[in-house]
């Protein structure tokens, strides 16, 4: 080979080693088109990696196919097995499961008969995921055990971290929450410390964020979405294919935290950034945007967002059902939730089912189906365990049912739920729970506590921009104010009386309330008649005696 050819090959391999994927793609692509520069099997694998990172998915698959053929021609079963596994992974992402299954079978053909080698870790990972999907917990743990042993034997930090993540997923699927999360923390330490290659770091962030939200571990989700986005911004000089996926997870977290403007903007960016082999992340972002729009009363926009999610293959529930409820279509809402609950399985994680059950409770109560609401709330309570986010959802649902069945028992349940929402710093659900708590307080005869909860709920909704809820809270607060006025006074008459009791003349009252003196005199006549008094001093004494001043 001539010196320029050797130089180009060295520069390309150096770019790959630095994970400068845009530069590597340009150099390898140019070499591949040059008649005098035949790429080795490893070079073809690197070209496939660089094309994938650069968003050229078809070129990535084409180069990987050539790499596999080259490894086979060279009699390199390990190289061929790894290339076959990558083809399985890429075809699965592109929505071609039959082709993906064929390449996984071929990877097994290349690797199964060999002595233990690092490439077999990927087969063990596939075995673990398949076992988890069919609910075979022992088989999943056995597969992750093989994966860990192979990773330790190889000395690869990448494979070791991935094996811990896989074991974490298997444990969480069996309900062994503490063990699973401890392993996940250990795996994430390696990612956050920068000990892993780019693709493994991206995998771990995406998988961990999914696991945290599915397991309703909101604290970890908040922490890791932040660090994941920091990594996405810092890693690589061009597009990072993990950025859109991580951003889609961030949208859901921001929505719960009440940062709705940022959540909607991040949803738009995520849908632009998500690669075509991760469209489920874009669907999740559309759902999260729809939830924000629905809560703000932008129902037409919410309907479009949910439709986009549905188009991408995601059932946009419970958001769509709650939209139908807001549109006055309670029967459609109930039907949608029944279908979603029937279609869901354990793979979706406890949070997804908990949200469906919470919405089912709300919709059932709206149509007067108290027994159905109680059943949904009871299932939610059994599901929640001691997980704070699930416990808060269950408490709010149980309190809502208690309001319908036994109002006197509702307040303690709702206060515990409110405390959890406040500690989790989830403002919209906290304000919703305050609305229910206000009704419970009123049923118990504590009007003052009810007014306080309504005022806090109104302020919370207004701060979020949840206009319909804010107006409802304000209306209930106004009604509560009217109910508590003594002597049958109207709100305006009470304002006039307060000013009079404070020493204001008719002219002063008129100026303060921007009304005419004639109107002030008419209000005073009505006040005197309702209170059975004939002088300002007597009306003033009444105002002080009844707490109007």
């Amino acid at each position: 080979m001539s010196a320029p050819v050797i130089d180009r090959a060295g520069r390309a391999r150096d770019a790959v080693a630095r994970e400068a994927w845009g530069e590597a793609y340009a150099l390898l692509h140019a070499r591949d088109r040059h008649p005098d520069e035949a790429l080795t099997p490893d070079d073809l694998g690197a070209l496939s990696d660089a094309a994938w990172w650069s968003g050229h998915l078809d070129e990535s698959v084409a180069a990987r196919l050539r790499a596999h053929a080259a490894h086979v021609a060279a009699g390199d079963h390990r190289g061929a097995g790894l290339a076959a596994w990558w083809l399985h992974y890429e075809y699965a992402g592109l929505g071609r499961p039959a082709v993906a299954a064929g390449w996984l079978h071929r990877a097994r053909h290349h690797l199964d008969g060999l002595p233990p080698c690092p490439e077999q870790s990927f087969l063990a990972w596939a075995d673990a995921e398949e076992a988890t999907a069919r609910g075979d917990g022992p088989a999943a743990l056995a597969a992750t055990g093989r994966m860990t042993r192979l990773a330790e034997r190889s000395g690869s930090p990448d494979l070791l971290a991935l094996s811990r993540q896989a074991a974490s997923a298997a444990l969480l699927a069996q309900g062994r929450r503490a063990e699973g999360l401890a392993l996940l923390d250990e795996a994430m330490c390696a990612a956050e410390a920068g000990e892993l290659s780019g693709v493994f770091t991206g995998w771990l962030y995406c998988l961990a964020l999914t696991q945290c939200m599915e397991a309703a571990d909101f604290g970890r989700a908040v922490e890791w979405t932040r660090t994941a986005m920091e990594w996405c911004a810092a890693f690589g000089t061009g597009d990072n294919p993990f950025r859109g996926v991580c951003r889609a997870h961030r949208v859901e977290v921001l929505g719960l935290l009440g940062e709705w403007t940022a959540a909607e903007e991040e949803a738009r960016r995520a849908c632009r950034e998500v690669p075509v082999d991760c469209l489920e992340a874009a669907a999740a972002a559309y759902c999260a945007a729809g939830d924000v729009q629905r809560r703000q009363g932008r129902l037409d926009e919410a309907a479009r967002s949910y439709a986009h999610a549905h188009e991408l293959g995601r059932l946009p529930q419970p958001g769509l059902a709650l939209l139908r409820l807001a549109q006055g279509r309670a029967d459609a809402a109930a039907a949608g939730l029944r279908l979603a609950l029937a279609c869901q399985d354990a793979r979706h994680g406890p949070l997804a089912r908990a949200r469906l059950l919470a919405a089912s409770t709300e919709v059932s109560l709206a149509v007067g189906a108290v027994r159905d609401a109680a059943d949904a709330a009871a299932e939610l309570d059994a599901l929640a365990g001691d997980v704070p986010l699930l416990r808060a959802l269950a408490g709010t649902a149980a309190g809502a049912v208690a309001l319908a069945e036994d109002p006197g028992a509702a307040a303690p349940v709702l206060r515990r739920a409110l405390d959890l929402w406040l500690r989790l710093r989830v403002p919209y659900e906290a304000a919703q729970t305050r609305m229910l708590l206000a009704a419970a307080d009123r049923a118990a005869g504590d009007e003052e506590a009810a007014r306080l909860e309504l005022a806090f709920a109104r302020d919370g909704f207004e701060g979020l921009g949840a206009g319909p809820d804010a107006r409802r809270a304000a209306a209930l607060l106004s009604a509560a104010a009217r109910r508590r006025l003594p002597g049958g006074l109207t709100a305006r008459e009470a304002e006039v009386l307060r000013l009079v009791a404070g020493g204001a003349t008719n002219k002063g009252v008129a100026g303060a309330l921007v009304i005419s003196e004639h109107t002030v005199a008419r209000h005073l006549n009505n006040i005197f008649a309702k209170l059975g008094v004939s002088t300002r001093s007597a009306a003033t004494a009444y105002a002080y005696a009844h707490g109007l001043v």
Side-chain angles (χ1 to χ4, degrees):
M1 296 175 69
S2 66
V5 170
I6 294 172
D7 179 59
R8 280 195 295 269
R11 286 165 55 207
R13 289 167 186 161
D14 175 67
V16 170
R18 290 184 286 109
E19 296 189 298
W21 294 114
E23 179 185 348
Y25 172 74
L27 289 166
L28 287 165
H29 188 67
R31 285 188 61 208
D32 193 39
R33 297 176 65 183
H34 198 284
D36 296 331
E37 298 190 44
L39 297 185
T40 68
D42 288 340
D43 287 339
L44 286 167
L47 174 59
S48 178
D49 292 341
W52 183 83
W53 278 98
S54 303
H56 305 289
L57 300 185
D58 289 342
E59 290 184 51
S60 177
V61 170
R64 193 80 67 187
L65 288 166
R66 291 167 59 198
H68 173 265
H71 284 298
V72 170
D76 179 4
H77 284 283
R78 286 176 57 181
L82 183 59
W85 185 89
W86 272 106
L87 284 163
H88 147 73
Y89 174 82
E90 292 195 71
Y91 276 119
L94 291 169
R96 300 185 63 184
V99 180
W103 280 106
L104 181 59
H105 180 75
R106 187 168 289 190
R108 296 188 193 283
H109 172 75
H110 286 303
L111 296 171
D112 274 346
L114 299 181
C117 60
E119 292 80 5
Q120 292 167 346
S121 293
F122 294 99
L123 298 183
W125 188 23
D127 291 339
E129 291 194 323
E130 289 175 357
T132 298
R134 65 175 183 267
D136 189 344
L141 285 175
T144 61
R146 291 198 305 275
M147 189 179 177
T148 300
R149 289 191 294 274
L150 289 164
E152 290 173 341
R153 185 187 186 100
S154 74
S156 166
D158 284 341
L159 291 175
L160 187 58
L162 188 62
S163 71
R164 286 170 177 154
Q165 182 281 323
S168 167
L171 290 167
L172 288 171
Q174 295 183 55
R176 296 164 64 177
R177 184 181 178 86
E179 297 171 80
L181 291 174
L183 267 181
L184 189 58
D185 287 344
E186 189 175 355
M188 292 307 297
C189 281
E192 292 187 75
E195 298 169 1
L196 311 181
S197 67
V199 71
F200 281 81
T201 300
W203 273 344
L204 282 175
Y205 274 125
C206 290
L207 292 167
L209 294 176
T210 299
Q211 283 177 256
C212 288
M213 290 309 297
E214 287 179 349
D217 193 318
F218 189 52
R220 282 181 171 85
V222 171
E223 183 175 348
W224 287 341
T225 50
R226 183 184 64 251
T227 54
M229 291 309 301
E230 290 171 355
W231 172 77
C232 286
F235 182 80
T237 55
D239 290 335
N240 184 328
F242 293 107
R243 183 181 291 115
V245 180
C246 291
R247 199 183 301 280
H249 287 293
R250 177 171 165 78
V251 171
E252 189 172 10
V253 169
L254 290 173
L256 281 169
L257 291 174
E259 298 177 29
W260 288 356
T261 301
E264 196 170 1
E265 174 56 31
E266 290 286 82
R268 284 193 289 269
R269 295 180 65 184
C271 292
R272 292 194 300 267
E273 294 172 346
V274 166
V276 296
D277 58 345
C278 295
L279 291 180
E280 67 276 7
Y286 276 122
C287 277
D291 290 342
V292 170
Q293 292 154 353
R294 170 176 54 81
R295 289 167 170 175
Q296 291 184 330
R298 298 153 55 197
L299 302 189
D300 290 343
E301 293 175 71
R304 287 193 291 272
S305 292
Y306 292 140
H308 285 312
H310 202 285
E311 182 183 14
L312 293 174
R314 181 185 177 112
L315 196 62
Q317 297 290 13
L320 182 59
L322 295 174
L323 173 64
R324 297 293 177 242
L325 184 63
Q327 293 170 328
R329 300 171 57 188
D331 290 341
L337 287 171
R338 282 195 299 271
L339 177 62
L341 284 164
C343 291
Q344 193 187 54
D345 57 38
R347 290 176 300 165
H348 294 91
L351 180 58
R353 188 161 190 86
R355 284 171 161 165
L356 290 173
L357 290 167
S360 183
T361 303
E362 182 178 348
V363 170
S364 296
L365 289 172
V367 299
V370 178
R371 187 66 263 155
D372 291 343
D375 289 344
E379 183 182 342
L380 177 52
D381 184 71
L383 176 69
D386 60 355
V387 181
L389 183 57
L390 300 184
R391 196 73 264 151
L393 279 169
T396 300
V401 171
L403 271 175
E405 293 184 326
D406 181 12
V413 178
L414 289 167
R415 289 193 189 282
R416 287 193 293 272
L418 176 60
D419 181 62
L420 285 170
W421 288 125
L422 293 174
R423 281 193 280 154
L424 288 166
R425 298 182 182 178
V426 177
Y428 180 77
E429 282 74 7
Q432 281 188 313
T433 306
R434 287 190 187 278
M435 295 286 284
L436 295 169
L437 187 52
D441 289 337
R442 187 180 303 116
D446 191 345
E447 288 288 342
E448 184 59 32
R451 287 194 297 274
L452 284 172
E453 297 298 349
L454 286 172
F456 287 135
R458 178 202 59 200
D459 293 346
F461 289 137
E462 287 178 349
L464 290 165
D469 291 298
R471 289 190 290 274
R472 185 164 61 94
L476 289 171
L477 194 58
S478 178
R482 287 194 299 273
R483 279 196 304 274
R484 77 174 186 268
L485 292 174
L489 297 174
T490 67
R492 176 62 80 176
E493 289 166 350
E495 288 180 297
V496 170
L497 180 54
R498 288 189 189 99
L499 291 168
V500 168
T505 64
N506 283 17
K507 183 177 181 180
V509 173
L513 299 180
V514 196
I515 57 178
S516 69
E517 290 186 53
H518 174 75
T519 301
V520 173
R522 178 166 54 79
H523 282 314
L524 278 175
N525 286 335
N526 291 337
I527 291 168
F528 288 170
K530 288 180 178 181
L531 302 185
V533 299
S534 57
T535 64
R536 284 174 174 262
S537 59
T540 297
Y542 184 95
Y544 276 97
H546 290 83
L548 294 175
V549 179

